[in-house]
Amino acid sequence: FDWSDVTGASSYEVQFSQSDSTDSNGALNVGVWAGDASHNQPTESRAWSSGANGTWYWQVRAVDAAGNKSGWTAPGKVTIDMVAPEVTIASASQTDTTTANFEGTVSDANLRYYYCYLTTNQTITVGDTTYTPGQEVGMRDANCNTTWANGQTNFNGSLGGFDITGLPTGSYTVNLVAYDRAGNNNAGSPATY
């Protein structure tokens, strides 16, 4: 948290709450957390917090050398997101010698993007390249590497966007990884077909 320096301030008081309710003096007054009994008075115009997941409101006031305190600032708002997206692959199948399809869900109100990748479970040759078990054969087609608006929850993509010519019929694994805007990420249980 950062704020403008105040001339004459020798320290600052910072407080946090998960409610934006304030009292008649403009101070946050529901479930207020201040870091320590002295309101965590830093000497610099910034402070750090390791608050719990969720929406937080915060405010600051200046204290001079004589102990006089300014009024509280209007509460600012910040959301702490430490929860990774939920990822599920419902099905995966190969429809012909070049195309694999998958369906599933990615759930996170703060979703940023997801991507998928295909690995082979046996040694295969595609064109002039030989792939060994566990090696990526293709990844991130146009349906799997898209920035979505908040609230995007479902996907029904196709790995056929990889255009892997001559992909042999066999055993493959589809992996899906989702990232939210806070950088949390999660991989679903791989689907083998």
Side-chain angles (χ1 to χ4, degrees):
F1 303 93
D2 198 0
W3 56 87
S4 299
D5 292 325
V6 176
T7 301
S10 60
S11 65
Y12 300 90
E13 294 182 348
V14 186
Q15 61 183 15
F16 310 86
S17 172
Q18 288 194 286
S19 168
D20 62 353
S21 174
T22 56
D23 62 20
S24 59
N25 295 316
L28 292 168
N29 64 353
V30 176
V32 175
W33 171 68
D36 59 30
S38 64
H39 283 251
N40 190 24
Q41 298 180 353
T43 57
E44 297 182 88
S45 57
R46 62 182 182 271
W48 294 265
S49 167
S50 56
N53 197 68
T55 299
W56 285 84
Y57 300 89
W58 69 286
Q59 60 185 179
V60 61
R61 66 181 175 185
V63 183
D64 67 15
N68 300 305
K69 300 178 181 182
S70 70
W72 288 104
T73 61
K77 178 181 176 182
V78 64
T79 298
I80 299 175
D81 181 359
M82 299 180 290
V83 178
E86 293 183 15
V87 179
T88 303
I89 298 177
S91 65
S93 61
Q94 187 168 347
T95 57
D96 56 41
T97 58
T98 60
T99 305
N101 294 292
F102 65 93
E103 293 184 6
T105 60
V106 177
S107 299
D108 191 312
N110 198 26
L111 184 66
R112 183 178 179 195
Y113 67 91
Y114 55 78
Y115 68 86
C116 54
Y117 57 95
L118 183 70
T119 57
T120 177
N121 297 325
Q122 72 278 324
T123 299
I124 63 171
T125 300
V126 179
D128 296 328
T129 305
T130 298
Y131 299 90
T132 58
Q135 191 170 355
E136 292 180 8
V137 182
M139 62 186 300
R140 300 186 178 101
D141 76 350
N143 293 315
C144 299
N145 194 20
T146 305
T147 299
W148 301 100
N150 286 351
Q152 177 72 27
T153 58
N154 298 308
F155 67 87
N156 182 351
S158 170
L159 296 184
F162 295 127
D163 293 328
I164 305 170
T165 303
L167 180 67
T169 300
S171 178
Y172 296 90
T173 298
V174 175
N175 289 272
L176 178 70
V177 181
Y179 287 78
D180 66 16
R181 296 179 189 280
N184 303 306
N185 65 83
N186 193 21
S189 297
T192 300
Y193 66 90

